[in-house]
Amino acid sequence: MTLALVDIESGNLHSVDNALRAAGASDVVITADPDVIAKADRIVLPGVGAFGACAANLRSIDGLEEALRDAALTRARPFLGICVGMQLLADTGEEMGEHRGLGWIRGRVTRLAPADPSAKVPHMGWNDVRPTREHPLIVPGEAYFLHSYAFTGEHVLATTDHDGPVAAAIGRDTVVGAQFHPEKSQRYGLSFLTRFLEWHP
């Protein structure tokens, strides 16, 4: 089973690679090559930093957006977006201006606005993952978060709390996104990645 770990020069690829291998992945290829991604059995898109920069990096690679869309949406390959990689699934992101996302899951990424103004942004550290509906990848637990913007829209699979509900995971069909960092979430993160590797939607 080949797993394409997508390199858009905005993810902590080494940590994600190590976590995937610890979770049981044996054939991880770090790549931005659309041809390699088109042939992969599973795809992971990590991302850190600003939404707009990640989107621009992705689109600067000729054919990458089309290869991702074809693999995940047409050929139904399991796809996991992590942190900003999850946020890119939305229609738009508002970090440092408005930017177009992949548009795979209807929604927007906006700055966190806790009900209590004294609540710190970014949301950083360990917090609960609370499933909102049944999904084979999502179970209750604690995961590590680090983000200032969050998804609002359809197909929310789990929430966390930062003085108000915040999307912790989203997904539809063969696509799942995690706002938390599984590679930093120790036992919970490794079990989540193991379930992704074993997932046959």
Side-chain angles (χ1 to χ4, degrees):
M1 178 190 74
T2 302
L3 187 151
L5 180 56
V6 183
D7 181 7
I8 56 171
E9 298 183 357
S10 58
N12 47 344
L13 292 171
H14 182 69
S15 295
V16 177
D17 183 23
N18 285 342
L20 285 166
R21 293 179 189 278
S26 58
D27 192 4
V28 180
V29 179
I30 297 175
T31 183
D33 186 333
D35 292 334
V36 173
I37 290 165
K39 297 173 184 175
D41 299 300
R42 294 175 191 272
I43 301 164
V44 175
L45 175 65
V48 295
F51 184 106
C54 289
N57 287 353
L58 190 156
R59 293 193 170 101
S60 72
I61 302 166
D62 188 43
L64 178 56
E65 182 175 4
E66 293 78 9
L68 291 171
R69 179 179 295 275
D70 180 63
L73 303 188
T74 303
R75 294 186 296 111
R77 297 291 188 261
F79 178 100
L80 171 62
I82 297 173
C83 197
V84 181
M86 172 194 123
Q87 295 177 2
L88 289 173
L89 300 174
D91 296 309
T92 56
E94 297 181 0
E95 188 172 4
M96 300 175 68
E98 185 164 309
H99 306 277
R100 180 170 57 91
L102 294 171
W104 297 0
I105 296 180
R106 187 176 300 278
R108 299 179 68 82
V109 175
T110 59
R111 184 168 174 81
L112 285 168
D116 182 352
S118 68
K120 293 183 178 179
V121 176
H123 170 215
M124 179 171 63
W126 291 85
N127 212 335
D128 290 337
V129 176
R130 302 171 179 171
T132 56
R133 57 189 175 94
E134 288 190 8
H135 189 280
L137 300 193
I138 307 300
V139 300
E142 273 197 325
Y144 186 85
F145 292 81
L146 176 56
H147 62 116
S148 298
Y149 286 73
F151 174 90
T152 302
E154 299 179 356
H155 303 291
V156 174
L157 302 178
T159 61
T160 190
D161 181 79
H162 189 57
D163 205 48
V166 175
I170 63 176
R172 57 175 280 256
D173 305 322
T174 60
V175 175
V176 167
Q179 182 62 70
F180 57 87
H181 285 272
E183 76 280 8
K184 296 180 180 180
S185 296
Q186 300 179 8
R187 184 179 299 175
Y188 181 87
L190 289 182
S191 65
F192 171 79
L193 292 176
T194 298
R195 290 192 295 275
F196 173 72
L197 295 173
E198 296 173 347
W199 185 36
H200 294 283

